Amino acid sequence: MARPGTPTLPRPAGSDVLVRLRNIVGQAHVLTEADATAGYARDWTGRFVGTTPAVVRPGTVGEVAAVLALCNEAGVAVVPQGGNTGLVGGSVPLGGEVVLSLRRLDALGEVDQVTGQVTAGAGVTLEALQRHAALAGAAFGVDLGARASATVGGMVATNAGGLHFVRHGGMREQVLGLEAVLADGTVISHLGGLWKDNTGYDWSKWLCGSEGTLAVVTQVRLRLVPRYSHHALALLAFPGARAAVAAGAALRATLADLDAAELFVEAGLDLVCRQLGLPRPFTEAHGAFLLVGAAGHEDPLPALAAAVESTEGLVDAAVADPGRYEQLWAYRERHTEAINLLGAPHKLDVTLPGAGLADFIETVPGVVAQVAPQAQTWLFGHVADGNIHVNITGVAPEDDAVDDAVLRYVAACGGSISAEHGIGTAKKPWLHLNRSEAEVALFRSVKSALDPRGVLNPNVLLP
Ligand code: FAD
Ligand code: 2HG
Ligand code: ZN
């Protein structure tokens, strides 16, 4: 979905914005050539492609502050960007904005063993954070398939959920403090990491899920979780999604060490195996699958095996040896990659109330077929959180009839049109399905208090 128009930078009297940007971050860190900026202007799916006059790569919080002060003064809109793995068109310059890449802010503090916390720069990748925590005998509570590129700043800005939400919650639950830069260049910092701290508004939580519209995150104080020594993983097969959803709910209630319950269906498994050349996990085809993970200080396998034994509707199961964990995870995690090989998908990431989840999974392909009979609907997700990823292929990037039909259906079922990826530009026209006029007015008041000139990611979230 490219937006027309060639990006230009305004030239405030007596100055040249590009020259001043180069003076702040250094010549090498202002990219303007199309070859160099292209990767920053196109999203991971290829559905959202923009253009930018410049990608600016500050290396310190002081440089971020100076860049923002300049852009604010000059009225230049800015899109903050981390790993550019976002899936709602929120990280790319669809309105010709300057891209502010935070990847160079990649410093990691020492793990505080007393509190089990760490301070990470916004540009630290999830994978680097995970390695760092592991070396200190700890772990980070959020994990997702884009770990090699997704950054801490982007994960805060999207309030990422991921594969272990059922146990540890999402980014909002991990954040104990932040350093950020407001649109006018003011640095705000609260990184002390005190467990209890009721000294007024917790603005760090405002930024979780703010999608780059309120401030630029530069450092984050994060809680770590225990690094469990024992893990168990099983792939369960069911005749259909209804039985798999019921099993997910039962495991959530009974298995204390549950740390993942991920759903996919036969069509998705078949696609992943065909597109990526993976062997099928079972000789026969089954309707739906649940990948169930457990982790603990003691071996969770006996408890997992007992829970599996009493699971109703189970037709086959494979309990993985530790050496096969990655292989089993690939069947679920690599859905995103396999679907992308079919062409840029429409991605709808939704939550349903528990009682309506199975009905939704069974009926949503029909809702899509009504408006786009040629389309294919792919369903998978974090079933224990009520979160289903509805991916639709075979529809032109700019044709949003399927988005409209599915998101209205979700809202009518009492669900959320964004479970974990955010609103971005992709879902902006449908925010009203979940948020009242009074709520959107409140959002606007917060936005204009923090960013009165509207320079921070002006094309996302707010209609
Ligand atoms: P970007 O894509 O660069 O940016 C995302 C948003 O955050 C944009 O609006 C941007 O403006 C803003 N932003 C970025 N950095 C900053 C900053 N420092 N300050 C202020 N705003 C900023 N998401 C999940 O929740 N769960 C999953 O399981 C999951 N799995 C994924 C698997 C794959 C294969 C892929 C490609 C994506 C997946 N995602 C998932 C989506 C994506 O990885 C997350 O949204 C992630 O949090 C984005 O991080 P990022 O650094 O790439 O952010
Ligand atoms: C996942 O859970 C991610 O794998 C990506 O959130 C979902 O590709 C998607 O739609
Ligand atoms: Zn997800």
mmCIF file with all atom_site columns, all heavy atoms in Angstrom, residues 199-224:
data_model
loop_
_atom_site.group_PDB
_atom_site.id
_atom_site.type_symbol
_atom_site.label_atom_id
_atom_site.label_alt_id
_atom_site.label_comp_id
_atom_site.label_asym_id
_atom_site.label_entity_id
_atom_site.label_seq_id
_atom_site.pdbx_PDB_ins_code
_atom_site.Cartn_x
_atom_site.Cartn_y
_atom_site.Cartn_z
_atom_site.occupancy
_atom_site.B_iso_or_equiv
_atom_site.pdbx_formal_charge
_atom_site.auth_seq_id
_atom_site.auth_comp_id
_atom_site.auth_asym_id
_atom_site.auth_atom_id
_atom_site.pdbx_PDB_model_num
ATOM 1   N N   . THR A 1 199 ? 4.642  7.060   42.886 1.00 0.00 ? 199 THR A N   1
ATOM 2   C CA  . THR A 1 199 ? 4.861  8.506   42.884 1.00 0.00 ? 199 THR A CA  1
ATOM 3   C C   . THR A 1 199 ? 4.224  9.137   41.646 1.00 0.00 ? 199 THR A C   1
ATOM 4   O O   . THR A 1 199 ? 4.905  9.693   40.792 1.00 0.00 ? 199 THR A O   1
ATOM 5   C CB  . THR A 1 199 ? 6.375  8.793   42.907 1.00 0.00 ? 199 THR A CB  1
ATOM 6   O OG1 . THR A 1 199 ? 6.993  8.019   41.857 1.00 0.00 ? 199 THR A OG1 1
ATOM 7   C CG2 . THR A 1 199 ? 7.001  8.410   44.236 1.00 0.00 ? 199 THR A CG2 1
ATOM 8   N N   . GLY A 1 200 ? 2.905  9.021   41.558 1.00 0.00 ? 200 GLY A N   1
ATOM 9   C CA  . GLY A 1 200 ? 2.211  9.685   40.453 1.00 0.00 ? 200 GLY A CA  1
ATOM 10  C C   . GLY A 1 200 ? 2.006  8.786   39.250 1.00 0.00 ? 200 GLY A C   1
ATOM 11  O O   . GLY A 1 200 ? 2.046  7.568   39.346 1.00 0.00 ? 200 GLY A O   1
ATOM 12  N N   . TYR A 1 201 ? 1.783  9.434   38.102 1.00 0.00 ? 201 TYR A N   1
ATOM 13  C CA  . TYR A 1 201 ? 1.458  8.687   36.878 1.00 0.00 ? 201 TYR A CA  1
ATOM 14  C C   . TYR A 1 201 ? 2.602  7.778   36.468 1.00 0.00 ? 201 TYR A C   1
ATOM 15  O O   . TYR A 1 201 ? 3.765  8.187   36.475 1.00 0.00 ? 201 TYR A O   1
ATOM 16  C CB  . TYR A 1 201 ? 1.196  9.658   35.721 1.00 0.00 ? 201 TYR A CB  1
ATOM 17  C CG  . TYR A 1 201 ? 0.093  10.652  35.951 1.00 0.00 ? 201 TYR A CG  1
ATOM 18  C CD1 . TYR A 1 201 ? 0.285  11.997  35.668 1.00 0.00 ? 201 TYR A CD1 1
ATOM 19  C CD2 . TYR A 1 201 ? -1.151 10.253  36.449 1.00 0.00 ? 201 TYR A CD2 1
ATOM 20  C CE1 . TYR A 1 201 ? -0.729 12.922  35.859 1.00 0.00 ? 201 TYR A CE1 1
ATOM 21  C CE2 . TYR A 1 201 ? -2.165 11.177  36.637 1.00 0.00 ? 201 TYR A CE2 1
ATOM 22  C CZ  . TYR A 1 201 ? -1.952 12.507  36.348 1.00 0.00 ? 201 TYR A CZ  1
ATOM 23  O OH  . TYR A 1 201 ? -2.944 13.408  36.536 1.00 0.00 ? 201 TYR A OH  1
ATOM 24  N N   . ASP A 1 202 ? 2.280  6.557   36.058 1.00 0.00 ? 202 ASP A N   1
ATOM 25  C CA  . ASP A 1 202 ? 3.305  5.656   35.533 1.00 0.00 ? 202 ASP A CA  1
ATOM 26  C C   . ASP A 1 202 ? 3.360  5.849   34.011 1.00 0.00 ? 202 ASP A C   1
ATOM 27  O O   . ASP A 1 202 ? 2.771  5.092   33.245 1.00 0.00 ? 202 ASP A O   1
ATOM 28  C CB  . ASP A 1 202 ? 2.966  4.198   35.886 1.00 0.00 ? 202 ASP A CB  1
ATOM 29  C CG  . ASP A 1 202 ? 4.098  3.266   35.500 1.00 0.00 ? 202 ASP A CG  1
ATOM 30  O OD1 . ASP A 1 202 ? 5.032  3.732   34.810 1.00 0.00 ? 202 ASP A OD1 1
ATOM 31  O OD2 . ASP A 1 202 ? 4.048  2.083   35.868 1.00 0.00 ? 202 ASP A OD2 1
ATOM 32  N N   . TRP A 1 203 ? 4.082  6.897   33.589 1.00 0.00 ? 203 TRP A N   1
ATOM 33  C CA  . TRP A 1 203 ? 4.092  7.226   32.161 1.00 0.00 ? 203 TRP A CA  1
ATOM 34  C C   . TRP A 1 203 ? 4.790  6.156   31.326 1.00 0.00 ? 203 TRP A C   1
ATOM 35  O O   . TRP A 1 203 ? 4.573  6.059   30.116 1.00 0.00 ? 203 TRP A O   1
ATOM 36  C CB  . TRP A 1 203 ? 4.704  8.616   31.913 1.00 0.00 ? 203 TRP A CB  1
ATOM 37  C CG  . TRP A 1 203 ? 6.105  8.775   32.417 1.00 0.00 ? 203 TRP A CG  1
ATOM 38  C CD1 . TRP A 1 203 ? 6.492  9.305   33.606 1.00 0.00 ? 203 TRP A CD1 1
ATOM 39  C CD2 . TRP A 1 203 ? 7.318  8.379   31.753 1.00 0.00 ? 203 TRP A CD2 1
ATOM 40  N NE1 . TRP A 1 203 ? 7.851  9.266   33.736 1.00 0.00 ? 203 TRP A NE1 1
ATOM 41  C CE2 . TRP A 1 203 ? 8.385  8.705   32.609 1.00 0.00 ? 203 TRP A CE2 1
ATOM 42  C CE3 . TRP A 1 203 ? 7.607  7.784   30.522 1.00 0.00 ? 203 TRP A CE3 1
ATOM 43  C CZ2 . TRP A 1 203 ? 9.717  8.452   32.284 1.00 0.00 ? 203 TRP A CZ2 1
ATOM 44  C CZ3 . TRP A 1 203 ? 8.931  7.527   30.190 1.00 0.00 ? 203 TRP A CZ3 1
ATOM 45  C CH2 . TRP A 1 203 ? 9.966  7.866   31.067 1.00 0.00 ? 203 TRP A CH2 1
ATOM 46  N N   . SER A 1 204 ? 5.630  5.332   32.001 1.00 0.00 ? 204 SER A N   1
ATOM 47  C CA  . SER A 1 204 ? 6.305  4.289   31.213 1.00 0.00 ? 204 SER A CA  1
ATOM 48  C C   . SER A 1 204 ? 5.266  3.339   30.610 1.00 0.00 ? 204 SER A C   1
ATOM 49  O O   . SER A 1 204 ? 5.432  2.836   29.504 1.00 0.00 ? 204 SER A O   1
ATOM 50  C CB  . SER A 1 204 ? 7.334  3.534   32.055 1.00 0.00 ? 204 SER A CB  1
ATOM 51  O OG  . SER A 1 204 ? 6.693  2.757   33.048 1.00 0.00 ? 204 SER A OG  1
ATOM 52  N N   . LYS A 1 205 ? 4.176  3.114   31.341 1.00 0.00 ? 205 LYS A N   1
ATOM 53  C CA  . LYS A 1 205 ? 3.140  2.209   30.826 1.00 0.00 ? 205 LYS A CA  1
ATOM 54  C C   . LYS A 1 205 ? 2.323  2.882   29.704 1.00 0.00 ? 205 LYS A C   1
ATOM 55  O O   . LYS A 1 205 ? 1.756  2.201   28.865 1.00 0.00 ? 205 LYS A O   1
ATOM 56  C CB  . LYS A 1 205 ? 2.221  1.746   31.970 1.00 0.00 ? 205 LYS A CB  1
ATOM 57  C CG  . LYS A 1 205 ? 2.955  0.931   33.045 1.00 0.00 ? 205 LYS A CG  1
ATOM 58  C CD  . LYS A 1 205 ? 3.325  -0.458  32.562 1.00 0.00 ? 205 LYS A CD  1
ATOM 59  C CE  . LYS A 1 205 ? 4.491  -1.088  33.270 1.00 0.00 ? 205 LYS A CE  1
ATOM 60  N NZ  . LYS A 1 205 ? 4.344  -1.598  34.588 1.00 0.00 ? 205 LYS A NZ  1
ATOM 61  N N   . TRP A 1 206 ? 2.262  4.224   29.704 1.00 0.00 ? 206 TRP A N   1
ATOM 62  C CA  . TRP A 1 206 ? 1.566  4.900   28.595 1.00 0.00 ? 206 TRP A CA  1
ATOM 63  C C   . TRP A 1 206 ? 2.261  4.568   27.268 1.00 0.00 ? 206 TRP A C   1
ATOM 64  O O   . TRP A 1 206 ? 1.636  4.520   26.223 1.00 0.00 ? 206 TRP A O   1
ATOM 65  C CB  . TRP A 1 206 ? 1.582  6.415   28.742 1.00 0.00 ? 206 TRP A CB  1
ATOM 66  C CG  . TRP A 1 206 ? 0.970  7.002   29.978 1.00 0.00 ? 206 TRP A CG  1
ATOM 67  C CD1 . TRP A 1 206 ? 0.249  6.347   30.927 1.00 0.00 ? 206 TRP A CD1 1
ATOM 68  C CD2 . TRP A 1 206 ? 1.040  8.371   30.377 1.00 0.00 ? 206 TRP A CD2 1
ATOM 69  N NE1 . TRP A 1 206 ? -0.133 7.224   31.909 1.00 0.00 ? 206 TRP A NE1 1
ATOM 70  C CE2 . TRP A 1 206 ? 0.342  8.475   31.594 1.00 0.00 ? 206 TRP A CE2 1
ATOM 71  C CE3 . TRP A 1 206 ? 1.626  9.510   29.819 1.00 0.00 ? 206 TRP A CE3 1
ATOM 72  C CZ2 . TRP A 1 206 ? 0.209  9.681   32.284 1.00 0.00 ? 206 TRP A CZ2 1
ATOM 73  C CZ3 . TRP A 1 206 ? 1.501  10.710  30.495 1.00 0.00 ? 206 TRP A CZ3 1
ATOM 74  C CH2 . TRP A 1 206 ? 0.790  10.796  31.724 1.00 0.00 ? 206 TRP A CH2 1
ATOM 75  N N   . LEU A 1 207 ? 3.593  4.429   27.348 1.00 0.00 ? 207 LEU A N   1
ATOM 76  C CA  . LEU A 1 207 ? 4.322  4.226   26.091 1.00 0.00 ? 207 LEU A CA  1
ATOM 77  C C   . LEU A 1 207 ? 4.213  2.796   25.582 1.00 0.00 ? 207 LEU A C   1
ATOM 78  O O   . LEU A 1 207 ? 4.523  2.522   24.413 1.00 0.00 ? 207 LEU A O   1
ATOM 79  C CB  . LEU A 1 207 ? 5.792  4.623   26.255 1.00 0.00 ? 207 LEU A CB  1
ATOM 80  C CG  . LEU A 1 207 ? 6.050  6.097   26.580 1.00 0.00 ? 207 LEU A CG  1
ATOM 81  C CD1 . LEU A 1 207 ? 7.504  6.462   26.322 1.00 0.00 ? 207 LEU A CD1 1
ATOM 82  C CD2 . LEU A 1 207 ? 5.173  7.033   25.760 1.00 0.00 ? 207 LEU A CD2 1
ATOM 83  N N   . CYS A 1 208 ? 3.786  1.857   26.445 1.00 0.00 ? 208 CYS A N   1
ATOM 84  C CA  . CYS A 1 208 ? 3.625  0.466   25.992 1.00 0.00 ? 208 CYS A CA  1
ATOM 85  C C   . CYS A 1 208 ? 2.397  0.405   25.086 1.00 0.00 ? 208 CYS A C   1
ATOM 86  O O   . CYS A 1 208 ? 1.278  0.650   25.532 1.00 0.00 ? 208 CYS A O   1
ATOM 87  C CB  . CYS A 1 208 ? 3.434  -0.478  27.175 1.00 0.00 ? 208 CYS A CB  1
ATOM 88  S SG  . CYS A 1 208 ? 4.841  -0.511  28.286 1.00 0.00 ? 208 CYS A SG  1
ATOM 89  N N   . GLY A 1 209 ? 2.624  0.100   23.815 1.00 0.00 ? 209 GLY A N   1
ATOM 90  C CA  . GLY A 1 209 ? 1.506  0.070   22.866 1.00 0.00 ? 209 GLY A CA  1
ATOM 91  C C   . GLY A 1 209 ? 1.220  1.426   22.235 1.00 0.00 ? 209 GLY A C   1
ATOM 92  O O   . GLY A 1 209 ? 0.208  1.586   21.559 1.00 0.00 ? 209 GLY A O   1
ATOM 93  N N   . SER A 1 210 ? 2.099  2.407   22.431 1.00 0.00 ? 210 SER A N   1
ATOM 94  C CA  . SER A 1 210 ? 1.834  3.747   21.869 1.00 0.00 ? 210 SER A CA  1
ATOM 95  C C   . SER A 1 210 ? 2.309  3.869   20.413 1.00 0.00 ? 210 SER A C   1
ATOM 96  O O   . SER A 1 210 ? 2.077  4.892   19.766 1.00 0.00 ? 210 SER A O   1
ATOM 97  C CB  . SER A 1 210 ? 2.509  4.819   22.722 1.00 0.00 ? 210 SER A CB  1
ATOM 98  O OG  . SER A 1 210 ? 3.911  4.632   22.686 1.00 0.00 ? 210 SER A OG  1
ATOM 99  N N   . GLU A 1 211 ? 2.992  2.861   19.904 1.00 0.00 ? 211 GLU A N   1
ATOM 100 C CA  . GLU A 1 211 ? 3.336  2.763   18.470 1.00 0.00 ? 211 GLU A CA  1
ATOM 101 C C   . GLU A 1 211 ? 4.099  3.975   17.934 1.00 0.00 ? 211 GLU A C   1
ATOM 102 O O   . GLU A 1 211 ? 3.857  4.435   16.809 1.00 0.00 ? 211 GLU A O   1
ATOM 103 C CB  . GLU A 1 211 ? 2.075  2.490   17.632 1.00 0.00 ? 211 GLU A CB  1
ATOM 104 C CG  . GLU A 1 211 ? 1.325  1.241   18.081 1.00 0.00 ? 211 GLU A CG  1
ATOM 105 C CD  . GLU A 1 211 ? 0.192  0.846   17.149 1.00 0.00 ? 211 GLU A CD  1
ATOM 106 O OE1 . GLU A 1 211 ? 0.387  0.916   15.932 1.00 0.00 ? 211 GLU A OE1 1
ATOM 107 O OE2 . GLU A 1 211 ? -0.884 0.478   17.650 1.00 0.00 ? 211 GLU A OE2 1
ATOM 108 N N   . GLY A 1 212 ? 4.981  4.511   18.764 1.00 0.00 ? 212 GLY A N   1
ATOM 109 C CA  . GLY A 1 212 ? 5.828  5.613   18.296 1.00 0.00 ? 212 GLY A CA  1
ATOM 110 C C   . GLY A 1 212 ? 5.109  6.936   18.171 1.00 0.00 ? 212 GLY A C   1
ATOM 111 O O   . GLY A 1 212 ? 5.637  7.885   17.581 1.00 0.00 ? 212 GLY A O   1
ATOM 112 N N   . THR A 1 213 ? 3.910  7.060   18.748 1.00 0.00 ? 213 THR A N   1
ATOM 113 C CA  . THR A 1 213 ? 3.138  8.299   18.574 1.00 0.00 ? 213 THR A CA  1
ATOM 114 C C   . THR A 1 213 ? 3.315  9.284   19.724 1.00 0.00 ? 213 THR A C   1
ATOM 115 O O   . THR A 1 213 ? 2.937  10.445  19.597 1.00 0.00 ? 213 THR A O   1
ATOM 116 C CB  . THR A 1 213 ? 1.623  8.006   18.459 1.00 0.00 ? 213 THR A CB  1
ATOM 117 O OG1 . THR A 1 213 ? 1.198  7.366   19.662 1.00 0.00 ? 213 THR A OG1 1
ATOM 118 C CG2 . THR A 1 213 ? 1.306  7.132   17.272 1.00 0.00 ? 213 THR A CG2 1
ATOM 119 N N   . LEU A 1 214 ? 3.839  8.819   20.870 1.00 0.00 ? 214 LEU A N   1
ATOM 120 C CA  . LEU A 1 214 ? 3.901  9.709   22.041 1.00 0.00 ? 214 LEU A CA  1
ATOM 121 C C   . LEU A 1 214 ? 5.321  10.148  22.377 1.00 0.00 ? 214 LEU A C   1
ATOM 122 O O   . LEU A 1 214 ? 5.522  11.259  22.878 1.00 0.00 ? 214 LEU A O   1
ATOM 123 C CB  . LEU A 1 214 ? 3.295  9.015   23.270 1.00 0.00 ? 214 LEU A CB  1
ATOM 124 C CG  . LEU A 1 214 ? 1.807  8.639   23.199 1.00 0.00 ? 214 LEU A CG  1
ATOM 125 C CD1 . LEU A 1 214 ? 1.344  8.030   24.514 1.00 0.00 ? 214 LEU A CD1 1
ATOM 126 C CD2 . LEU A 1 214 ? 0.955  9.863   22.845 1.00 0.00 ? 214 LEU A CD2 1
ATOM 127 N N   . ALA A 1 215 ? 6.296  9.287   22.171 1.00 0.00 ? 215 ALA A N   1
ATOM 128 C CA  . ALA A 1 215 ? 7.684  9.588   22.511 1.00 0.00 ? 215 ALA A CA  1
ATOM 129 C C   . ALA A 1 215 ? 8.554  8.512   21.883 1.00 0.00 ? 215 ALA A C   1
ATOM 130 O O   . ALA A 1 215 ? 8.049  7.459   21.471 1.00 0.00 ? 215 ALA A O   1
ATOM 131 C CB  . ALA A 1 215 ? 7.874  9.576   24.028 1.00 0.00 ? 215 ALA A CB  1
ATOM 132 N N   . VAL A 1 216 ? 9.849  8.771   21.832 1.00 0.00 ? 216 VAL A N   1
ATOM 133 C CA  . VAL A 1 216 ? 10.783 7.764   21.315 1.00 0.00 ? 216 VAL A CA  1
ATOM 134 C C   . VAL A 1 216 ? 11.462 7.089   22.499 1.00 0.00 ? 216 VAL A C   1
ATOM 135 O O   . VAL A 1 216 ? 12.094 7.754   23.332 1.00 0.00 ? 216 VAL A O   1
ATOM 136 C CB  . VAL A 1 216 ? 11.831 8.420   20.388 1.00 0.00 ? 216 VAL A CB  1
ATOM 137 C CG1 . VAL A 1 216 ? 12.904 7.417   19.996 1.00 0.00 ? 216 VAL A CG1 1
ATOM 138 C CG2 . VAL A 1 216 ? 11.145 8.979   19.147 1.00 0.00 ? 216 VAL A CG2 1
ATOM 139 N N   . VAL A 1 217 ? 11.315 5.791   22.594 1.00 0.00 ? 217 VAL A N   1
ATOM 140 C CA  . VAL A 1 217 ? 11.920 5.022   23.680 1.00 0.00 ? 217 VAL A CA  1
ATOM 141 C C   . VAL A 1 217 ? 13.419 4.889   23.399 1.00 0.00 ? 217 VAL A C   1
ATOM 142 O O   . VAL A 1 217 ? 13.813 4.517   22.286 1.00 0.00 ? 217 VAL A O   1
ATOM 143 C CB  . VAL A 1 217 ? 11.280 3.617   23.750 1.00 0.00 ? 217 VAL A CB  1
ATOM 144 C CG1 . VAL A 1 217 ? 11.963 2.760   24.814 1.00 0.00 ? 217 VAL A CG1 1
ATOM 145 C CG2 . VAL A 1 217 ? 9.784  3.719   24.009 1.00 0.00 ? 217 VAL A CG2 1
ATOM 146 N N   . THR A 1 218 ? 14.242 5.184   24.418 1.00 0.00 ? 218 THR A N   1
ATOM 147 C CA  . THR A 1 218 ? 15.691 5.051   24.212 1.00 0.00 ? 218 THR A CA  1
ATOM 148 C C   . THR A 1 218 ? 16.326 3.989   25.125 1.00 0.00 ? 218 THR A C   1
ATOM 149 O O   . THR A 1 218 ? 17.299 3.349   24.749 1.00 0.00 ? 218 THR A O   1
ATOM 150 C CB  . THR A 1 218 ? 16.391 6.411   24.404 1.00 0.00 ? 218 THR A CB  1
ATOM 151 O OG1 . THR A 1 218 ? 15.909 7.019   25.611 1.00 0.00 ? 218 THR A OG1 1
ATOM 152 C CG2 . THR A 1 218 ? 16.108 7.348   23.228 1.00 0.00 ? 218 THR A CG2 1
ATOM 153 N N   . GLN A 1 219 ? 15.782 3.808   26.338 1.00 0.00 ? 219 GLN A N   1
ATOM 154 C CA  . GLN A 1 219 ? 16.273 2.732   27.220 1.00 0.00 ? 219 GLN A CA  1
ATOM 155 C C   . GLN A 1 219 ? 15.094 2.172   27.999 1.00 0.00 ? 219 GLN A C   1
ATOM 156 O O   . GLN A 1 219 ? 14.135 2.897   28.299 1.00 0.00 ? 219 GLN A O   1
ATOM 157 C CB  . GLN A 1 219 ? 17.272 3.261   28.245 1.00 0.00 ? 219 GLN A CB  1
ATOM 158 C CG  . GLN A 1 219 ? 18.646 3.590   27.711 1.00 0.00 ? 219 GLN A CG  1
ATOM 159 C CD  . GLN A 1 219 ? 19.631 3.745   28.860 1.00 0.00 ? 219 GLN A CD  1
ATOM 160 O OE1 . GLN A 1 219 ? 20.136 2.771   29.412 1.00 0.00 ? 219 GLN A OE1 1
ATOM 161 N NE2 . GLN A 1 219 ? 19.913 4.978   29.228 1.00 0.00 ? 219 GLN A NE2 1
ATOM 162 N N   . VAL A 1 220 ? 15.215 0.901   28.393 1.00 0.00 ? 220 VAL A N   1
ATOM 163 C CA  . VAL A 1 220 ? 14.123 0.252   29.119 1.00 0.00 ? 220 VAL A CA  1
ATOM 164 C C   . VAL A 1 220 ? 14.685 -0.549  30.288 1.00 0.00 ? 220 VAL A C   1
ATOM 165 O O   . VAL A 1 220 ? 15.663 -1.281  30.139 1.00 0.00 ? 220 VAL A O   1
ATOM 166 C CB  . VAL A 1 220 ? 13.338 -0.721  28.192 1.00 0.00 ? 220 VAL A CB  1
ATOM 167 C CG1 . VAL A 1 220 ? 12.065 -1.176  28.878 1.00 0.00 ? 220 VAL A CG1 1
ATOM 168 C CG2 . VAL A 1 220 ? 13.018 -0.080  26.854 1.00 0.00 ? 220 VAL A CG2 1
ATOM 169 N N   . ARG A 1 221 ? 14.075 -0.371  31.467 1.00 0.00 ? 221 ARG A N   1
ATOM 170 C CA  . ARG A 1 221 ? 14.398 -1.206  32.620 1.00 0.00 ? 221 ARG A CA  1
ATOM 171 C C   . ARG A 1 221 ? 13.437 -2.378  32.620 1.00 0.00 ? 221 ARG A C   1
ATOM 172 O O   . ARG A 1 221 ? 12.197 -2.184  32.642 1.00 0.00 ? 221 ARG A O   1
ATOM 173 C CB  . ARG A 1 221 ? 14.226 -0.386  33.913 1.00 0.00 ? 221 ARG A CB  1
ATOM 174 C CG  . ARG A 1 221 ? 14.625 -1.123  35.186 1.00 0.00 ? 221 ARG A CG  1
ATOM 175 C CD  . ARG A 1 221 ? 16.114 -1.250  35.279 1.00 0.00 ? 221 ARG A CD  1
ATOM 176 N NE  . ARG A 1 221 ? 16.548 -1.891  36.524 1.00 0.00 ? 221 ARG A NE  1
ATOM 177 C CZ  . ARG A 1 221 ? 17.801 -2.200  36.795 1.00 0.00 ? 221 ARG A CZ  1
ATOM 178 N NH1 . ARG A 1 221 ? 18.771 -1.925  35.917 1.00 0.00 ? 221 ARG A NH1 1
ATOM 179 N NH2 . ARG A 1 221 ? 18.122 -2.763  37.929 1.00 0.00 ? 221 ARG A NH2 1
ATOM 180 N N   . LEU A 1 222 ? 13.975 -3.581  32.544 1.00 0.00 ? 222 LEU A N   1
ATOM 181 C CA  . LEU A 1 222 ? 13.138 -4.769  32.347 1.00 0.00 ? 222 LEU A CA  1
ATOM 182 C C   . LEU A 1 222 ? 13.269 -5.760  33.491 1.00 0.00 ? 222 LEU A C   1
ATOM 183 O O   . LEU A 1 222 ? 14.376 -5.971  34.011 1.00 0.00 ? 222 LEU A O   1
ATOM 184 C CB  . LEU A 1 222 ? 13.579 -5.468  31.058 1.00 0.00 ? 222 LEU A CB  1
ATOM 185 C CG  . LEU A 1 222 ? 13.309 -4.701  29.764 1.00 0.00 ? 222 LEU A CG  1
ATOM 186 C CD1 . LEU A 1 222 ? 14.143 -5.271  28.629 1.00 0.00 ? 222 LEU A CD1 1
ATOM 187 C CD2 . LEU A 1 222 ? 11.834 -4.739  29.418 1.00 0.00 ? 222 LEU A CD2 1
ATOM 188 N N   . ARG A 1 223 ? 12.170 -6.384  33.832 1.00 0.00 ? 223 ARG A N   1
ATOM 189 C CA  . ARG A 1 223 ? 12.281 -7.487  34.783 1.00 0.00 ? 223 ARG A CA  1
ATOM 190 C C   . ARG A 1 223 ? 12.678 -8.750  34.008 1.00 0.00 ? 223 ARG A C   1
ATOM 191 O O   . ARG A 1 223 ? 12.310 -8.921  32.841 1.00 0.00 ? 223 ARG A O   1
ATOM 192 C CB  . ARG A 1 223 ? 10.967 -7.695  35.529 1.00 0.00 ? 223 ARG A CB  1
ATOM 193 C CG  . ARG A 1 223 ? 9.988  -8.598  34.851 1.00 0.00 ? 223 ARG A CG  1
ATOM 194 C CD  . ARG A 1 223 ? 8.809  -8.898  35.767 1.00 0.00 ? 223 ARG A CD  1
ATOM 195 N NE  . ARG A 1 223 ? 7.750  -9.497  34.980 1.00 0.00 ? 223 ARG A NE  1
ATOM 196 C CZ  . ARG A 1 223 ? 7.179  -10.667 35.265 1.00 0.00 ? 223 ARG A CZ  1
ATOM 197 N NH1 . ARG A 1 223 ? 7.526  -11.347 36.330 1.00 0.00 ? 223 ARG A NH1 1
ATOM 198 N NH2 . ARG A 1 223 ? 6.241  -11.155 34.494 1.00 0.00 ? 223 ARG A NH2 1
ATOM 199 N N   . LEU A 1 224 ? 13.461 -9.601  34.650 1.00 0.00 ? 224 LEU A N   1
ATOM 200 C CA  . LEU A 1 224 ? 13.803 -10.898 34.068 1.00 0.00 ? 224 LEU A CA  1
ATOM 201 C C   . LEU A 1 224 ? 13.007 -11.961 34.805 1.00 0.00 ? 224 LEU A C   1
ATOM 202 O O   . LEU A 1 224 ? 12.456 -11.711 35.885 1.00 0.00 ? 224 LEU A O   1
ATOM 203 C CB  . LEU A 1 224 ? 15.309 -11.151 34.167 1.00 0.00 ? 224 LEU A CB  1
ATOM 204 C CG  . LEU A 1 224 ? 16.151 -10.116 33.404 1.00 0.00 ? 224 LEU A CG  1
ATOM 205 C CD1 . LEU A 1 224 ? 17.646 -10.343 33.629 1.00 0.00 ? 224 LEU A CD1 1
ATOM 206 C CD2 . LEU A 1 224 ? 15.829 -10.152 31.899 1.00 0.00 ? 224 LEU A CD2 1
#
